[in-house]
Amino acid sequence: MSSSSVVVIGASLAGLSAVRALREQGHRGPITVVGDELHPPYDRPPLSKEFLHDDIDISLGGEDDEADADTTWLLGRRAIEISTDFGGHVVILEDGTRLAAESVVIATGARARTLPSAHALDGIHTLRTVDDARALRTSLRSARSLVVVGAGFIGAEVASSAAAHGLSVTVIEISSAPLESILGPHIGSLCAGLHAANGVRLLTGVAVDRFVGDKRVGAVQLTDGTVVPADVVVVGIGAVPNTEWANGSQLHIDNGFVTDPLCRTSVPGIYAIGDCARSYDESAGSHHRSEHWTNATAQARIAAAAIVGATHKAAGAPYFWSRQYGRMLQFAGRCSPTDEVRFVEGDPSTATFTAVYERAGEPVAVFAIDSPRVFTRYRKQIERRPVAAPLT
């Protein structure tokens, strides 16, 4: 058992998962969790779906978490600096509090990327936190038209939720198809069909030129001159890792805290997990940053094992899911533009299908709509593919 002190910076899914994983793997020492939001840990996926219509319980904490007397939660407190000396690590908070620890887990997440002029007018939103979701919900209740900038998962889910409640929805996407950079153009075009089938207007290959309005947004002007009416705008164009607070440290930062496959940063005893971490992917042979739910929980287990001195295999193939227009979309693996896409269940004309991405005749990724059984079979097959041994 380990009894060293640990500070976890970040009190969302990744941070909570790190605490749980440490306790499950035998850590008995004190843990201090620092979170810049006042809210206890909550689940973010519902924020772009059912939570937009009504307050539902999205809390992640349970009775076991509350009963852990050796874990201290400092909510509404922001870390502004981290330093290392011969005695360990020190995390400095905005109010001057200094937290010493033998190990530190950084789980500061990411914030919504926005557009330069998005703050100039009322009615323009991003969606990352529960407070963002409540503000957007208030705007949508009095709106008739919504423009979503970005056809990624957040944008598509918001569009789906708004369309289901009768709003006129237009989605603006700079690429030629939704999710093209993740799923490729062929599957991306099928996702475009979901928008069309549900009465949502999708404009691709075009970007926002400016937002039109006096004090509140009334329209969005695009780079091709098109003007789209909008009572509300949601900007969903990705996220930026929260790393600036540690710029003065010895940590290697490059679009996230850079780590090896075991979540170890460039400073011994400091780990990074979740949306803020850019971890080495052994299969791809490069570093990647993943913002998905399953990645945060998997990396929490890996970092905890490293802290307590246990063994744990590196994270498996990336996996994510999305609910749009009453349909379940699932993806697992790593694909590239040159992979061959083969339909193993259904075809592009059917409502339900499973498509496998193949490289040199071997499956490397799988995508499905409303086909969990076949999807899971191929996901397991992909995860069994051997990868190189973890770094030591």
Side-chain angles (χ1 to χ4, degrees):
M1 292 186 181
S2 169
S3 59
S4 61
S5 58
V6 178
V7 168
V8 178
I9 310 173
S12 193
L13 171 67
L16 174 63
S17 297
V19 174
R20 288 174 172 172
L22 283 165
R23 295 305 187 204
E24 289 168 0
Q25 297 185 44
H27 182 78
R28 295 295 177 261
I31 302 174
T32 302
V33 186
V34 179
D36 59 359
E37 289 189 68
L38 286 169
H39 308 288
Y42 58 87
D43 202 19
R44 294 184 191 273
L47 298 182
S48 55
K49 297 184 277 292
E50 56 265 42
F51 193 85
L52 284 181
H53 307 306
D54 197 9
D55 265 347
I56 60 172
D57 183 11
I58 57 173
S59 60
L60 289 173
E63 293 181 0
D64 290 343
D65 303 305
E66 296 173 359
D68 184 356
D70 293 319
T71 298
T72 302
W73 293 80
L74 303 179
L75 300 178
R77 313 278 287 276
R78 186 184 300 273
I80 61 169
E81 186 179 340
I82 185 169
S83 61
T84 300
D85 56 30
F86 296 109
H89 311 290
V90 176
V91 177
I92 303 174
L93 308 188
E94 197 171 32
D95 61 7
T97 300
R98 300 171 68 90
L99 303 173
E102 294 167 75
S103 299
V104 175
V105 178
I106 300 175
T108 46
R111 61 189 181 277
R113 191 185 303 276
T114 189
L115 294 171
S117 58
H119 299 296
L121 299 173
D122 292 338
I124 302 175
H125 299 260
T126 56
L127 181 56
R128 190 73 186 183
T129 69
V130 65
D131 293 329
D132 292 339
R134 286 176 173 147
L136 175 57
R137 182 203 299 159
T138 299
S139 289
L140 290 175
R141 282 175 174 166
S142 59
R144 291 178 296 178
S145 60
L146 167 70
V147 168
V148 178
V149 182
F153 291 109
I154 296 296
E157 290 169 357
V158 170
S160 169
S161 298
H165 279 69
L167 274 73
S168 172
V169 181
T170 301
V171 178
I172 312 299
E173 172 55 45
I174 194 170
S175 300
S176 60
L179 303 166
E180 183 178 21
S181 63
I182 300 173
L183 304 177
H186 186 26
I187 299 299
S189 67
L190 299 181
C191 293
L194 288 177
H195 294 293
N198 288 274
V200 171
R201 183 186 183 195
L202 174 65
L203 303 178
T204 60
V206 67
V208 172
D209 180 49
R210 67 187 184 98
F211 297 110
V212 181
D214 186 7
K215 293 183 179 180
R216 185 175 182 86
V217 69
V220 180
Q221 181 170 319
L222 308 182
T223 49
D224 64 359
T226 301
V227 176
V228 184
D231 297 325
V232 178
V233 173
V234 174
V235 179
I237 54 174
V240 180
N242 293 320
T243 61
E244 293 85 353
W245 64 275
N247 278 346
S249 70
Q250 302 172 33
L251 294 164
H252 182 195
I253 300 173
D254 181 7
N255 186 30
F257 296 102
V258 179
T259 79
D260 69 6
L262 301 184
C263 303
R264 299 176 297 194
T265 69
S266 55
V267 178
I270 301 181
Y271 306 81
I273 62 175
D275 297 0
C276 70
R278 186 162 168 257
S279 303
Y280 187 76
D281 183 327
E282 296 170 306
S283 295
S286 59
H287 288 82
H288 292 276
R289 194 168 63 82
S290 174
E291 298 174 9
H292 302 298
W293 203 96
T294 52
N295 179 68
T297 56
Q299 289 189 335
R301 292 190 294 270
I302 292 168
I307 290 172
V308 303
T311 57
H312 198 290
K313 66 178 182 179
Y319 165 74
F320 55 82
W321 59 271
S322 176
R323 284 198 177 275
Q324 302 173 23
Y325 307 108
R327 313 292 296 280
M328 170 66 90
L329 285 64
Q330 293 176 286
F331 179 86
R334 305 167 181 85
C335 64
S336 71
T338 58
D339 293 337
E340 179 183 354
V341 178
R342 181 169 62 92
F343 286 82
V344 295
E345 180 193 34
D347 60 56
S349 67
T350 58
T352 297
F353 67 82
T354 302
V356 174
Y357 298 75
E358 294 181 331
R359 193 177 308 154
E362 292 291 327
V364 294
V366 58
F367 174 82
I369 295 182
D370 287 340
S371 182
R373 183 181 59 82
V374 178
F375 173 86
T376 300
R377 185 171 77 239
Y378 278 94
R379 179 188 177 189
K380 290 179 178 178
Q381 182 178 344
I382 290 165
E383 290 184 337
R384 286 195 296 266
R385 296 180 72 239
V387 297
L391 298 177
T392 57

